[in-house]
């Protein structure tokens, strides 16, 4: 199993281009795991949120939000994705249950299986 991990806070690129690239990943069965360092008071972070969510959906991947001071969350979600890409569902089970809500959310999505890629139309890419 393959996948792409994206960790970011802001989105300076054109959303349409990013969505097209994410859709291409989905067509190649490579889910995009988007881990968004989102601060509730940061305008750039809040602007990026819908773009990052749509990127994950377009690829059949997963979007997980975490706070800037959440080193434990980042460690858990990266460990779960690494286990998933190496061993699939069994790898996630071997990691053990995550302690953070974000880690449990991701593990739940990984154990259910990747979502089918969303169709990205030309209207969304503008």
């Amino acid at each position: 199993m393959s996948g792409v991990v994206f960790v970011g806070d802001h989105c300076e690129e054109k959303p349409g281009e990013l969505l097209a690239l994410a859709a291409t990943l989905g067509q190649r069965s490579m889910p995009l795991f988007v881990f968004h360092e989102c601060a509730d008071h940061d305008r750039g972070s809040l602007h990026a949120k819908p773009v990052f969510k749509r990127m994950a959906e377009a690829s059949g991947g997963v979007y997980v939000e975490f706070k800037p001071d959440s080193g434990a969350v980042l460690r858990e979600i990266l460990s779960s994705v690494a286990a998933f890409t190496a061993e699939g569902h069994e790898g996630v089970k071997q990691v053990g249950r995550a302690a953070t809500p974000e880690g449990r959310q991701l593990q739940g999505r990984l154990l259910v299986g990747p979502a089918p890629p969303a169709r990205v139309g030309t209207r969304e890419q503008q």
Side-chain angles (χ1 to χ4, degrees):
M1 169 139 267
S2 296
V4 176
V5 173
F6 175 90
V7 180
D9 58 353
H10 295 165
C11 181
E12 293 85 14
E13 295 77 18
K14 294 180 181 178
E17 292 176 10
L18 294 174
L19 291 171
L21 291 170
T24 300
L25 289 173
Q27 292 166 355
R28 295 181 179 171
S29 298
M30 294 185 80
L32 179 60
F33 300 98
V34 179
F35 303 132
H36 183 198
E37 182 181 15
C38 188
D40 294 333
H41 62 280
D42 183 338
R43 188 175 181 172
S45 186
L46 295 173
H47 170 74
K49 189 174 191 173
V51 176
F52 290 168
K53 283 184 173 183
R54 289 176 31 208
M55 289 169 56
E57 290 171 4
S59 71
V62 179
Y63 168 90
V64 176
E65 184 178 310
F66 68 98
K67 301 300 175 201
D69 60 350
S70 300
V73 172
L74 189 56
R75 184 172 41 257
E76 279 188 351
I77 58 181
L78 290 175
S79 294
S80 292
V81 167
F84 180 74
T85 57
E87 299 290 330
H89 301 288
E90 289 304 314
V92 176
K93 291 176 186 176
Q94 291 174 14
V95 169
R97 184 167 163 81
T100 64
E102 298 88 348
R104 288 191 301 271
Q105 172 197 1
L106 175 63
Q107 285 181 340
R109 288 287 310 273
L110 294 175
L111 290 172
V112 168
R119 295 192 61 149
V120 178
T122 56
R123 190 176 73 182
E124 288 182 6
Q125 294 176 354
Q126 297 176 354

